[in-house]
Each structure stands twice: as structure tokens, then as C-alpha cells.
Amino acid sequence: MGESDAEHPFFKRHWVGFKDFWAERFSFLENYSRFVNRDEPLPSWSSSDVDQFIASDPIHGPTLKTAREAVSFAITGSVIGAASTAGVAWKYSKSPHGTALSLGAGAVFGFTFGQEVASHWYQLYRLDTMAAQVKFMEWWERKSEGRS
């Protein structure tokens, strides 16, 4: 074994590789880090602020509007998934903890399924929704600091 192997223990070498692997997979989170890791958080925005951005940005505005419309599919799927799985669990088991677990799991599964339906319905796979969200955050940051 070489000197570099003796300097770094087995677990430390693998931990570094593990961290690098997942950092590469979640590199998209760096787009939001400057908004999340601020000294003072951005102030809350309202729907009218989002509508103002949608009207002001001809490139990213329509994409953000479409992404916001897609949320209704995900919420509807979440409600349907939660109610149906909890109902089936209660009907066949009468177990409160099993019903609660199936309610939560059904909500997550329904949300995911609704999001996929919305992705195909609105063809979100063709749009760069993350760029639109980042542009909105940059716009809101400028506006809230009075630089717009």
C-alpha cells in the first residue's frame, strides 16, 4: 500500500468518496444556497408579487406560471391518495395507527403521482422550472432590497 493509503484511514477515504458522490447528485441545490444561507432571510412574498414577476418577465414568467398551475395536480393527487389509502386501511383493519400510516404514505404517493401527471399534462419536462424559480428569487431579492 502507498503512503497516501497509510495517511488516510479506510473509513475516511470512503466517507470522502461518499460525500463527493452525493454532492454531485445534489449539485442543483447550489442554485438556492445563496437564498437559503443568507444572514437575513428574504421577506415573504404574496401571490400578487409572483403575478407581478410573471407579467414582467417574458421568458421565465410563463414557465413559473405553468409550474404554479401544476401544483394543483400534486395537491389533488395527495388528497385523493391519502383519503383512498386511509379509507381502505380503516375498512379492512380498523387499526388507528395503520390508518394514520397509510394516510401519510397515500398522501406522499398521491402527491408524487399528481406531480408526474402535471409534468406530462403541462409538458414541464420541456421547461426549465428551476431557472424560472431562481430568476424569481433574484427578482424578489432585488425588489425587496429596493434595487429594482
Side-chain angles (χ1 to χ4, degrees), residues 102-122:
S102 66
L103 179 89
V108 171
F109 300 151
F111 183 87
T112 305
F113 186 72
Q115 216 171 10
E116 284 299 314
V117 169
S119 178
H120 291 287
W121 187 272
Y122 291 114

Side-chain angles (χ1 to χ4, degrees), residues 72-122:
S72 63
F73 277 77
I75 291 172
T76 302
S78 182
V79 169
I80 291 171
S84 62
T85 57
V88 168
W90 183 253
K91 179 180 178 184
Y92 291 109
S93 73
K94 301 286 192 238
S95 167
H97 63 280
T99 302
L101 286 171
S102 66
L103 179 89
V108 171
F109 300 151
F111 183 87
T112 305
F113 186 72
Q115 216 171 10
E116 284 299 314
V117 169
S119 178
H120 291 287
W121 187 272
Y122 291 114

Side-chain angles (χ1 to χ4, degrees), residues 25-83:
R25 298 305 183 274
F26 287 100
S27 63
F28 64 89
L29 295 175
E30 293 174 9
N31 294 336
Y32 297 108
S33 64
R34 66 176 181 224
F35 305 115
V36 176
N37 300 330
R38 293 171 46 103
D39 293 334
E40 291 192 24
L42 286 172
S44 298
W45 57 82
S46 65
S47 292
S48 62
D49 296 322
V50 176
D51 292 336
Q52 186 179 1
F53 171 77
I54 290 169
S56 69
D57 191 333
I59 297 170
H60 298 289
T63 302
L64 187 63
K65 181 179 180 184
T66 305
R68 286 176 57 88
E69 290 170 357
V71 171
S72 63
F73 277 77
I75 291 172
T76 302
S78 182
V79 169
I80 291 171

Side-chain angles (χ1 to χ4, degrees), residues 53 59-61 63-64 67 128-137:
F53 171 77
I59 297 170
H60 298 289
T63 302
L64 187 63
D128 191 0
T129 56
M130 183 178 292
Q133 292 169 354
V134 169
K135 288 296 181 183
F136 169 74
M137 297 293 281

